Amino acid sequence: MNRKLKDINLKDTGLAQRISQTLVEAILDRKLKGGDRLVETELQKHFKVSRTPLREALRDLEKKGLVVIKPRRGTFVKEITRKDIFAHYPVQASLEGLAAREAHRHINPTHCLKMENSLKAMEQAAQAGDTKAFLEHHAVFHTTFITACKNQLLIDMITELRFRGDRLRYFFPYTQDYCLNSVRVHWQIKEELCSPDTSPDKVEKIVREHIERLVNMEGWGL
C-alpha cells in the first residue's frame, strides 16, 4: 500500500475535500485499483492528517460509489463487475434519453455549435488514438445537451450517474474503430437534436439506444 501512495499528492482545497478529491483521482487513474484496501493509519501518515477528516473523506468516496466500507474489515476500492455494467448503463440510457427529449425543445444555435466543435475534436482525437482527449470532448458533447434540458433535478441525477460511471470506462476497449464509429453516431444525435422537424420520440430513442449498446459490447476488461 505504501508503494501505491508514493505518487498520490494532496490537492489544494479544503482538508476532507482535498483528501477525497486526491483519492478519487488516484482511483480513476488506477493508481489504486479494485480490491485495494485503504488502510487508515497509512493514509493518515501519508497525508499528515488526523482520523476525523480522513474518515469524512472515505464516507464521501463511499457515497460516490468508489469504495466499500466493511465493518471491522476496513475500506476497499470497489471492484467493477458485469453486474455493475448491467445495472448502470440502462439507467443512464433512460435518463439521458429523457434529457435529450427535453433538450430538443430548448436547443439553440449556440448548443449546436458547441456540440459540433466537440465532435470535430472527438474525431481528431480518435484518429490520433488519444483516448483521454476523446473522452474529454465526448463528455462536453453530452453535457451540452444534458444542461440544455433545463430540468435541474434531471441534470443533477445524470451528473451523479456519469460520475459513478467514470470508473467503468477504464474497463472498456476504446479501439480506434469504436471511437470513429461513436463519432458517426454522435453526429446523428447532434443532427436530430438540432432539427426542429425531428420528433421528441426519435431524439430520445437514438440517445437511449446509443448508451444501451455499451451493455452488450465485447471486450470489457473484467
Side-chain angles (χ1 to χ4, degrees):
M1 181 66 179
N2 283 325
R3 177 176 54 83
K4 294 187 177 185
L5 292 176
K6 181 176 63 175
D7 298 323
I8 301 174
N9 300 311
L10 208 56
K11 307 301 175 182
D12 293 327
T13 47
L15 191 51
Q17 183 183 353
R18 283 187 316 188
I19 299 169
S20 176
Q21 181 183 346
T22 301
L23 292 175
V24 164
E25 292 181 14
I27 291 169
L28 295 183
D29 289 341
R30 302 194 76 184
K31 292 175 182 175
L32 297 173
K33 299 181 180 180
D36 282 349
R37 185 182 178 193
L38 303 182
V39 181
E40 289 190 18
T41 52
E42 291 184 6
L43 290 169
Q44 282 180 250
K45 183 177 179 180
H46 178 77
F47 291 131
K48 298 180 175 59
V49 297
S50 66
R51 187 167 61 177
T52 299
L54 177 61
R55 288 195 168 181
E56 184 180 340
L58 294 178
R59 284 194 295 270
D60 183 57
L61 292 177
E62 184 181 36
K63 289 177 184 176
K64 289 181 168 77
L66 294 176
V67 304
V68 177
I69 299 177
K70 300 180 180 181
R72 296 181 296 280
R73 292 185 58 191
T75 301
F76 299 84
V77 178
K78 186 174 180 181
E79 296 186 80
I80 300 300
T81 66
R82 284 202 171 273
K83 183 178 179 181
D84 296 304
I85 294 166
F86 278 88
H88 179 88
Y89 283 112
V91 178
Q92 182 175 334
S94 295
L95 292 181
E96 289 204 36
L98 177 58
R101 180 188 186 92
E102 294 299 311
H104 183 249
R105 296 188 293 129
H106 304 291
I107 214 83
N108 61 44
T110 299
H111 295 127
C112 294
L113 179 60
K114 189 171 183 179
M115 287 190 287
E116 184 173 329
N117 289 337
S118 297
L119 284 165
K120 291 176 181 177
M122 283 170 63
E123 187 166 15
Q124 290 177 351
Q127 290 172 342
D130 189 342
T131 302
K132 182 178 180 181
F134 175 85
L135 290 172
E136 288 173 351
H137 295 298
H138 175 270
V140 171
F141 179 94
H142 279 258
T143 301
T144 301
F145 76 75
I146 290 166
T147 54
C149 79
K150 296 187 181 296
N151 181 325
Q152 194 58 52
L153 175 60
L154 184 56
I155 293 168
D156 291 344
M157 292 173 68
I158 295 173
T159 299
E160 174 66 19
L161 196 63
R162 289 182 69 83
F163 178 86
R164 285 176 174 266
D166 276 350
R167 285 198 68 227
L168 298 179
R169 64 187 171 90
Y170 287 92
F171 293 84
F172 188 77
Y174 286 98
T175 63
Q176 186 176 63
D177 284 345
Y178 170 82
C179 291
L180 289 173
N181 183 64
S182 178
V183 171
R184 288 190 286 271
V185 173
H186 282 77
W187 272 113
Q188 185 180 0
I189 292 172
K190 180 259 178 187
E191 293 302 321
E192 301 295 3
L193 272 167
C194 294
S195 171
D197 298 326
T198 303
S199 73
D201 288 344
K202 185 174 182 180
V203 171
E204 180 175 4
K205 184 172 185 287
I206 188 174
V207 171
R208 188 183 70 246
E209 290 181 347
H210 161 61
I211 298 172
E212 285 175 342
R213 285 192 195 100
L214 290 170
V215 172
N216 296 311
M217 289 288 292
E218 296 294 329
W220 281 93
L222 300 175

